[in-house]
Amino acid sequence: MSRTKLLFLQVMVAVVALAIWHVGSTVPVGAAANGKPVFLLPPFFFSTPWDVIKRVATMFIEGSVYKHLMITLIEALLAFAIGASSGVLIGFWFARKPLVAAVFDPYIKMMNALPRVVLAPIFALWFGLGIWSKVWLGVTLVFFIVFFNVYQGVREVSPVVLANGRMLGMNERQLLRHVYWPAALSWVFSSLHTSVGFAVVGAVVGEYLGSSAGLGYLIHQAEGVFDVTGVFAGMVILMIFVMLIDLIVTAIEKPLLVWRPGETKTV
Amino acid sequence: MAEAQPAVSLNGVSVAYGLAGGGRYEAVQPVDVSVADGEFVAILGPTGCGKSTLLNIAAGLMPPSSGESVIFGQKLAGLNTVAGYLFQQDALMPWKTSRDNVAIGLEVRGMARREALALADGFLKKVGLASFGDRYPHQLSGGQRKRVALAQVLVREPKILLMDEPFGPLDAQTRLIMSELLLDLWQADRKAVMFVTHDLDEAIALSDRVLVMSAGPSSKIIGDFTIPLKRPRDIAEVRSEPEFHRLHSQIWNCLRDEVRKTYGLSDKGLADKNGSAA
């Protein structure tokens, strides 16, 4: 399928969804006993697409949203950086030291099974209502994804490639650098989209549960006053934000994973 | 061969594995294998006879259950550092380009990267891949990857070449080309070669001596044939020589029962089991 056709179909999905929303929330399907029009999607609960678009535009034009975007971005970036680097280090360590891995295995599983939302209040208590409680919430999400991927990646290094490395005269340190490390990194990159996404989720959920700035705070504020248009506007901005980050991740990983099969296409 | 110092000498090497339910599985009975310096020895046997295991022992990748391997008069402890190993499976690092794959064996030795890359380019040229240096393994065909692997091994100038059915996964035409290439390169500076294969034609065409192993378990060496075909050889032509056919039927007689045994076709005794021509 050609790129333009695909793009057209993708846009059509959005157009149809918006059209249904628009018609449902602006065209009355009847009138109630007191003469008020009845909508399939009452604007009080669903707002209208046009109102949401106007609100988003206003937020950007007035510039009130940039501060919140910046805060969420910083939180997500910090969560990703800390979570990914600790995940790589500990994943590597566990994979190379089976005893350590065996000892910690049940605890890692337990901690990973814990829904992170329950941690948010504790983190707020420990780290305050500033950015750090959100950062650590994101870290608990990102860490496990990267950790499991690196652990898997290092353990599943092809034994033949490893034997070849040894026969080519590599010592342990060189094996680490030329065989284990690239193998593990490729797994990190393959989970990059998920882990970056989770960094944002951690930041927003943290903000939502208690903060004074950020996209999650915006949405929470709007919900507090039944401002459905504000909630949807916040969600739209959040979606655009995540999409942009995803595009950047794709652009970063492409040159780093050229050696991966499946990249070549006939022309 | 009665040289003072064989390149590889496996003395009474046996291999046994502990089974999961207790007990012992003897894969290879104590065998003696000797490869002189500059000699091309093929180890031939049915699948699962433990020939690759012998190679791994000579490489120092695994220790024997008993016996020892002696490399140029030195008892092997740990990895065999003077040997190059060509694996049956893909062993290139998929995250490195061809030239980086070839150069890495020199770089880990401490050679400057520039110098290593220059040598790598030279060897890629020798194996006919001069313009493929910047390709990643997945962008190469199976035969091309094998050639990069060959360059990767040869660039380090090992004194011993260990090859584990290196051309096994390739198609017939590519195998022929690869065999020719291997012989050409080997002819230039004869190293000791231990070449494991299950292909009789390949074994005769390439080597100076063919060792035949019996079917596993408890396999042993049941034949030692000298291949007196002249060198340098033309792989395609050598196959039409009468001498080639004589050797072929002689070795096949020795091998046939073993091959049948692996497939449970025959249990009859090894009539020609000592049919050694050496």
Side-chain angles (χ1 to χ4, degrees):
Chain A
M1 184 180 297
S2 77
R3 235 185 117 79
T4 41
K5 194 177 171 193
L6 180 66
L7 196 67
F8 172 74
L9 289 174
Q10 285 173 335
V11 169
M12 279 310 286
V13 172
V15 167
V16 169
L18 285 175
I20 291 172
W21 184 12
H22 178 74
V23 171
S25 58
T26 55
V27 179
V29 285
N34 60 8
K36 278 190 176 173
V38 171
F39 298 95
L40 223 46
L41 302 169
F44 179 75
F45 296 109
F46 295 93
S47 186
T48 68
W50 185 236
D51 282 346
V52 172
I53 291 168
K54 275 194 293 193
R55 181 70 70 87
V56 171
T58 321
M59 286 165 93
F60 276 101
I61 291 164
E62 285 177 352
S64 62
V65 76
Y66 295 113
K67 180 186 120 193
H68 298 290
L69 267 178
M70 204 59 199
I71 295 275
T72 304
L73 182 67
I74 288 171
E75 285 165 356
L77 283 181
L78 281 172
F80 176 75
I82 298 171
S85 51
S86 57
V88 167
L89 284 178
I90 295 179
F92 229 90
W93 184 42
F94 277 28
R96 301 292 294 136
K97 300 268 187 275
L99 178 67
V100 180
V103 168
F104 282 98
D105 180 62
Y107 301 105
I108 292 274
K109 280 188 185 140
M110 273 192 257
M111 291 206 285
N112 188 36
L114 193 70
R116 304 310 138 66
V117 181
V118 305
L119 290 176
I122 295 195
F123 281 0
L125 212 56
W126 289 350
F127 306 108
L129 290 175
I131 67 165
W132 286 103
S133 56
K134 287 86 197 167
V135 170
W136 287 111
L137 195 64
V139 167
T140 62
L141 289 163
V142 173
F143 169 80
F144 286 99
I145 297 165
V146 175
F147 167 81
F148 284 120
N149 274 296
V150 170
Y151 183 65
Q152 190 94 346
V154 172
R155 298 240 314 194
E156 286 183 5
V157 168
S158 153
V160 179
V161 173
L162 212 53
N164 194 28
R166 293 219 167 86
M167 288 309 292
L168 291 173
M170 293 186 193
N171 57 30
E172 271 307 302
R173 205 177 47 79
Q174 288 162 333
L175 278 179
L176 220 58
R177 182 173 154 211
H178 295 289
V179 180
Y180 287 115
W181 183 246
L185 268 197
S186 76
W187 281 73
V188 174
F189 283 119
S190 66
S191 64
L192 209 56
H193 288 276
T194 330
S195 49
V196 167
F198 271 107
V200 177
V201 168
V204 171
V205 169
E207 288 162 0
Y208 187 85
L209 292 173
S211 68
S212 52
L215 288 178
Y217 165 81
L218 274 188
I219 294 173
H220 190 228
Q221 283 292 301
E223 275 177 3
V225 294
F226 296 104
D227 174 13
V228 178
T229 308
V231 174
F232 278 113
M235 276 159 50
V236 167
I237 293 170
L238 188 58
M239 285 191 277
I240 296 170
F241 177 68
V242 173
M243 278 282 285
L244 284 178
I245 288 188
D246 204 62
L247 282 178
I248 294 170
V249 170
T250 308
I252 290 173
E253 76 180 345
K254 252 198 180 139
L256 286 169
L257 288 180
V258 277
W259 58 269
R260 279 238 168 153
E263 295 279 320
T264 32
K265 286 199 186 78
T266 48
V267 282
Chain B
M1 299 273 173
E3 249 127 309
Q5 275 193 358
V8 180
S9 168
L10 304 179
N11 304 328
V13 161
S14 76
V15 182
Y17 300 102
L19 292 177
R24 235 169 98 91
Y25 174 84
E26 191 180 44
V28 182
Q29 282 186 16
V31 294
D32 297 305
V33 175
S34 176
V35 181
D37 195 11
E39 189 184 27
F40 198 125
V41 174
I43 299 177
L44 184 69
T47 41
C49 74
K51 36 192 201 306
S52 304
T53 311
L54 284 186
L55 211 58
N56 286 339
I57 289 171
L61 285 171
M62 65 182 280
S65 301
S66 72
E68 55 175 16
S69 51
V70 177
I71 306 300
F72 287 108
Q74 299 254 323
K75 190 175 182 303
L76 184 64
L79 277 186
N80 186 342
T81 51
V82 295
Y85 198 123
L86 196 58
F87 292 84
Q88 180 180 9
Q89 306 95 320
D90 275 332
L92 297 174
M93 279 152 268
W95 40 82
K96 287 187 187 291
T97 58
S98 306
R99 58 204 298 257
D100 281 335
N101 257 297
V102 178
I104 188 69
L106 299 170
E107 284 179 68
V108 297
R109 248 182 212 173
M111 186 184 280
R113 184 169 163 75
R114 239 174 136 188
E115 206 180 331
L117 283 177
L119 272 172
D121 285 338
F123 269 83
L124 281 175
K125 199 174 168 189
K126 277 193 195 176
V127 297
L129 292 176
S131 56
F132 291 82
D134 291 326
R135 298 276 187 101
Y136 288 91
H138 82 269
Q139 297 168 318
L140 301 169
S141 69
Q144 288 169 331
R145 282 202 288 270
K146 232 6 131 188
R147 285 195 243 175
V148 176
L150 189 60
Q152 187 183 48
V153 167
L154 292 178
V155 77
R156 303 182 78 240
E157 312 219 309
K159 291 187 180 149
I160 302 164
L161 274 176
L162 305 171
M163 305 200 186
D164 181 14
E165 300 192 32
F167 311 141
L170 305 178
D171 62 83
Q173 289 78 23
T174 314
R175 290 178 80 139
L176 207 63
I177 307 267
M178 287 301 295
S179 304
E180 265 169 13
L181 175 68
L182 174 62
L183 268 199
D184 282 350
L185 292 172
W186 177 78
Q187 195 70 41
D189 60 341
R190 298 186 166 213
K191 302 169 199 302
V193 179
M194 246 174 114
F195 188 95
V196 161
T197 179
H198 58 250
D199 183 333
L200 179 51
D201 284 29
E202 189 177 65
I204 300 175
L206 289 173
S207 49
D208 297 318
R209 205 147 59 87
V210 175
L211 303 179
V212 180
M213 282 188 83
S214 69
S218 298
S219 39
K220 54 189 182 294
I221 288 169
I222 52 167
D224 185 340
F225 301 86
T226 301
I227 309 297
L229 299 167
K230 64 169 176 42
R231 292 213 189 255
R233 290 178 198 164
D234 182 309
I235 298 271
E237 268 176 30
V238 83
R239 287 177 196 233
S240 55
E241 284 182 25
E243 181 70 3
F244 185 92
H245 292 284
R246 190 185 64 73
L247 287 161
H248 191 283
S249 59
Q250 199 183 2
I251 302 174
W252 175 240
N253 276 335
C254 175
L255 186 63
R256 187 176 46 209
D257 287 333
E258 296 307 324
V259 176
R260 285 192 173 155
K261 231 195 274 179
T262 29
Y263 295 105
L265 291 175
S266 157
D267 278 317
K268 83 181 168 78
L270 312 169
D272 293 326
K273 77 175 190 180
N274 291 318
S276 165

